[in-house]
Structure formats: structure tokens, C-alpha cells
Amino acid sequence: MTMAKTTTSAASTPTPSSTPTPSPTPAPSHTTPNSVPAERRSAELERRLAQDPSRFRVLTGDRPTGPLHLGHYFGTLRNRVRLQELGADILILIPDYQVLTDRDTAERLGEYTDGLLLDHLALGIDPARSTVFNHSAVPALNQLLLPFLSLVSVAELGRNPTVKDEIAHSRQSAVSGLMLTSPVHQAADILSCKGDVVPVGLDQLPHLELTRTIARRFNERYGNLFPEPDALLSAAPLLLGTDGTKMSKSRANSIPLGATADETARLIRGATTDADRRITYDPDNRPGVSSLVLLAALCLERDPHAVAAEIGDSGAAALKRTVTDAVNGHLAPFRARRAEYAKDLTYVRSVLRAGNERASAIAEATLDEVREAMGTFR
């Protein structure tokens, strides 16, 4: 679907050269019966993006709940820069309201928002070509939540497997209404800008399927207004945290992008390995060791089996030195750019203000169309 364009107005400043963007990765191989149609659509979407990227509007983002880490970097962040460089219209949401989905207070919100902005700018997100905005600054987006809630049932929300997992791991003493309705809030995020491409992992497909359902039901009831957005599935490799479980901001097991070289070395030294001195790449049987090997391979742009063979019988200490050198070497240019941007937070915050203005204009236009279609606006 061809998306209407709005020119963004951002303050100008010398922009450092961006990080080289990776080529698109193949579709994930860990399929399930329910994911096969989405994977087929994702492959077709990647083909169409390569042919005419300017036709597409991409909505993506991260909750400001802590520093972004290497899992985010290899999983999603580099892909955002790639899509920008292709020429797609990129909107990056900082969903500050959704911080309250699984916690009682939005702690250190300003600090984490600044950090997200710094990371994206240092990676090569260009405010002249991509829009960064936050939830609370776009009232029209949040007004869409009410009509969208009328299009889904409580039972449908309760069956959502992603919501079930969030409830199981919630930091709240009781499940909030925001947690139960978070998939509808995400639908408002996407449909407020009529986004038709949403980069996600397989675990987020239920949320996006509900967005597609809401768009379809609205169109059937009130007239054809919304695209049914497609998932652009990530085939990024899984990086484990330093404790051997999934790398996560909330588990204190990640390696932040903005960490210093010394902090990175300390975190990697504490990473979980095993008693076998010979280093091999065997993710099924040696997940901790293999995740470290993979991290080094990704940073060095080498095959993980070759990296493991090179370390051989030198043991875990040698592996961790290799990983530390690889990570610090790979991130050094990014960290230098980030430090430069951090010297001018006035400019960094002006990027968000300009993005909020553009996102508000888009969402307000969509809300006016919704009111017109529903007969509530004259």
C-alpha cells in the first residue's frame, strides 16, 4: 500500500557517518504451523521492499525501561538503519506509557529516553529521514484506543499468548488493565500512522495478528481506512545474557551498547561458560559458550565455527578475551559518536520534539478520518 508522506522538520547538526547496514537475513528456520503464513508474507514483503521501499511506512520501537544492549543491536537496531537506507519511511516509537504495562512506576524515564535517542543517532538514524517520537506526546494516538477496544472481546485479549507470558512475568502485584489491553494499545501505535510494515520476532506475532484483526473489523464496519500491516520477521540469532538465559534489560544480564570498554570486559569475564576447556560452537549442548562464540563471530563478521576452532584448547579465559576485543573493537566507532551526541543533549531532545510534531500531525489526521467514518465528527 502506498503511504502518504509528510516531511519532517528536525534541527540540523553535523551527522557522523552511519554504521554500515547489514544485508537482509533469510527467514527464520524455527517454524511452527501458525507462523508459516507470516513467514511467507515476510519473505514477499522483503522482496517488495527491495523493489520500491518508498511505498512502505515502518513502525518500530523500544520501551524506555533500561539501556539498549547487544541483543537489541543485532536483533533490530541495525535493521532499522538498513530500512532507512533503503528509503522506507521509518517511525520509531518510544512507548513511555507502556512502561507501566508490567510495573507500578516509570522509573528513570527521562534518562532512559535520552539513552534511546543517543543510541539511535549514534547508529545512524537520520532525523531528516526517520521520525522518533514518544507515546505521551501524541494524544491522538491514544484516543484511538477507545474505538479499537470496541472491536475486540475480553476473551480474545485473555487468549493472547504474549499477554499471558507478560502476566506470568509481571513485576506488578496485580494485573493492570493496561497489561490486558496492551495489544490494542500497540494496534493504536501502528494504525495511527497507517503503518504497513512492523519488524517483529515470532513471539510478537500474536500482537500483530490482533492489529490486523482490528484493522479488518474497522474497515468492515466503517469503511476501508486502514492497511492490514505485515510482519517483517527477524532472523537474528539469539544471544544469551551473561547468566546463560535470554539477554534482557530486566534480568541484569545484558551488555549495554553504551557501556565503557572496561565495563564490557568486566561483564564478559562474568559470563557463564562450562568445564570443557576445548571451545566449540554447539548451541544445543553448550549454549553459554556458543553464545559467546557467536557474539565474537558477529562482531568480527566471521563464521562461529572458525572462531571456535581458532581458540581451540585455550579455554574459557581465552574465549572471553576474544569476545571482549571483538565487541569493543566493533562498538568503538558507535561509542565515539554516542559520546559526541551526549555533549549536546539540547540537540538530541530537539530531535524528539520534531519527531513528536510530525507523529502528532499524522495521528491527528488519522483520528479525523476515524471520526468521520464513525459519524462522530462533523
Side-chain angles (χ1 to χ4, degrees):
M1 177 178 178
T2 303
M3 305 303 302
K5 301 295 179 187
T6 305
T7 302
T8 184
S9 57
S12 61
T13 193
T15 304
S17 59
S18 60
T19 303
T21 52
S23 301
T25 45
S29 59
H30 44 289
T31 58
T32 65
N34 291 333
S35 71
V36 169
E39 291 182 6
R40 190 179 302 118
R41 290 198 303 267
S42 179
E44 171 62 17
L45 183 57
E46 191 71 72
R47 185 188 66 79
R48 290 164 56 208
L49 273 163
Q51 290 180 337
D52 189 2
S54 63
R55 294 181 59 210
F56 296 94
R57 177 169 284 165
V58 180
L59 189 285
T60 185
D62 309 281
R63 290 198 306 164
T65 55
L68 296 180
H69 52 66
L70 284 167
H72 297 118
Y73 174 72
F74 286 110
T76 62
L77 298 179
R78 295 197 308 172
N79 198 39
R80 294 173 192 177
V81 180
R82 177 182 75 89
L83 292 169
Q84 172 189 270
E85 297 306 310
L86 279 175
D89 185 11
I90 311 297
L91 286 90
I92 300 170
L93 170 64
I94 301 175
D96 45 359
Y97 278 162
Q98 288 186 9
V99 171
L100 299 173
T101 298
D102 61 354
R103 56 201 72 204
D104 296 320
T105 59
E107 298 172 356
R108 302 170 67 182
L109 186 57
E111 173 191 342
Y112 291 149
T113 297
D114 285 346
L116 286 172
L117 289 164
L118 288 169
D119 288 340
H120 280 87
L121 291 171
L123 282 166
I125 289 297
D126 180 358
R129 293 182 289 167
S130 297
T131 302
V132 187
F133 68 103
N134 60 342
H135 237 150
S136 58
V138 185
L141 183 162
N142 295 293
Q143 281 187 263
L144 290 172
L145 183 62
L146 288 175
F148 289 173
L149 279 171
S150 73
L151 298 171
V152 296
S153 69
V154 173
E156 285 176 309
L157 294 174
R159 287 196 298 267
N160 187 299
T162 308
V163 171
K164 288 182 179 179
D165 183 68
E166 289 172 348
I167 290 173
H169 295 91
S170 173
R171 295 167 58 178
Q172 293 177 320
S173 55
V175 176
S176 71
L178 181 59
M179 179 176 290
L180 190 64
T181 60
S182 60
V184 186
H185 214 160
Q186 290 188 29
D189 298 339
I190 298 164
L191 298 179
S192 69
C193 66
K194 297 187 181 179
D196 48 8
V197 177
V198 185
V200 293
L202 285 174
D203 61 331
Q204 287 293 312
L205 278 179
H207 274 3
L208 190 59
E209 284 303 315
L210 189 61
T211 297
R212 290 169 58 84
T213 297
I214 288 171
R216 185 165 57 252
R217 288 176 182 172
F218 187 97
N219 292 343
E220 290 170 351
R221 185 174 299 183
Y222 300 111
N224 192 32
L225 181 58
F226 293 111
E228 292 184 31
D230 271 320
L232 189 66
L233 291 173
S234 169
L238 175 64
L239 286 175
L240 300 182
T242 54
D243 62 354
T245 66
K246 180 181 177 181
M247 191 176 290
S248 169
K249 289 182 287 188
S250 62
R251 296 179 182 179
N253 67 353
S254 63
I255 301 171
L257 295 179
T260 67
D262 287 343
E263 289 168 342
T264 299
R266 176 181 58 80
L267 291 167
I268 292 173
R269 280 198 301 272
T272 299
T273 53
D274 57 39
D276 189 343
R277 184 170 181 81
R278 182 166 183 79
I279 302 303
T280 59
Y281 182 64
D282 184 359
D284 291 334
N285 297 307
R286 305 184 71 188
V289 166
S290 297
S291 185
L292 288 172
V293 171
L294 177 59
L295 178 53
L298 288 168
C299 290
L300 296 169
E301 298 184 348
R302 296 181 59 193
D303 179 77
H305 294 282
V307 172
E310 191 171 283
I311 299 170
D313 292 326
S314 298
L319 169 63
K320 291 178 180 181
R321 286 194 298 272
T322 298
V323 176
T324 299
D325 291 344
V327 171
N328 283 334
H330 186 78
L331 291 183
F334 159 81
R335 288 168 171 170
R337 290 192 295 268
R338 193 182 194 278
E340 285 300 308
Y341 278 117
K343 294 176 182 177
D344 190 2
L345 287 179
T346 298
Y347 165 72
V348 170
R349 291 164 185 166
S350 76
V351 169
L352 185 61
R353 286 195 300 272
N356 287 338
E357 289 177 8
R358 184 195 178 211
S360 290
I362 294 171
E364 286 167 8
T366 301
L367 181 60
D368 284 348
E369 290 181 289
V370 167
R371 287 167 170 165
E372 186 78 36
M374 296 178 67
T376 60
F377 179 69
R378 293 289 185 269

